[in-house]
Amino acid sequence: MSASMLHSVSMTEVQGCLVVAMQADLRDESFDALHQAVTERLVDKRLPAAVIDFSAVPVLDLHEFSRIQALARVMGFLGAQVVFVALNPGIASFLAQAGASIGDQQFCMHMEDAFALLASHNLR
């Protein structure tokens, strides 16, 4: 996978948790590369939790949200508890009005809240 494929996304490990910082306008081919990189990292490192950080995403459409949810389900199938962090109020409002299903996905407003949630489940 080329470095340019992941130019819009940063992944790091913090306190035994994979943190994926999403960026705006992630094209399909870049998202596919992200999907592969995230799943490989979870498997290789055996990480029990992941945080998907939306703090740099000003706009998110239903297609993008659906793809991110599918990635989160795959991460869950690989044994990681996934928390979405920092959806801005405009995105949250749009998703609610558009009828987006969140299933059992967990959301937090701040990174600290996500780590506290994961700690309460003894996952970090």
Side-chain angles (χ1 to χ4, degrees):
M1 161 186 358
S2 70
S4 65
M5 294 296 282
L6 287 176
H7 76 280
S8 296
V9 179
S10 171
M11 286 190 306
T12 191
E13 292 174 41
V14 178
Q15 300 177 13
C17 174
L18 181 63
V19 176
V20 180
M22 299 299 296
Q23 298 297 317
D25 299 324
L26 194 59
R27 295 182 313 215
D28 285 345
E29 62 271 4
S30 295
F31 188 87
D32 292 342
L34 167 70
H35 190 285
Q36 181 176 347
V38 166
T39 55
E40 286 175 0
R41 176 85 62 98
L42 285 174
V43 170
D44 290 345
K45 300 287 186 156
R46 298 180 180 178
L47 298 170
V51 173
I52 300 178
D53 178 13
F54 292 90
S55 60
V57 180
V59 178
L60 189 67
D61 67 25
L62 286 176
H63 173 71
E64 293 167 326
F65 185 69
S66 176
R67 292 198 72 184
I68 294 165
Q69 282 186 301
L71 173 59
R73 281 192 301 278
V74 169
M75 295 163 79
F77 291 146
L78 293 173
Q81 181 176 352
V82 181
V83 179
F84 287 10
V85 173
L87 279 176
N88 75 43
I91 292 173
S93 179
F94 165 74
L95 292 173
Q97 290 177 5
S101 173
I102 62 169
D104 60 353
Q105 186 61 55
Q106 296 182 310
F107 294 83
C108 290
M109 285 299 299
H110 305 285
M111 192 68 70
E112 297 82 10
D113 299 332
F115 285 121
L117 176 66
L118 293 169
S120 73
H121 294 280
N122 296 316
L123 291 174
R124 44 167 214 126

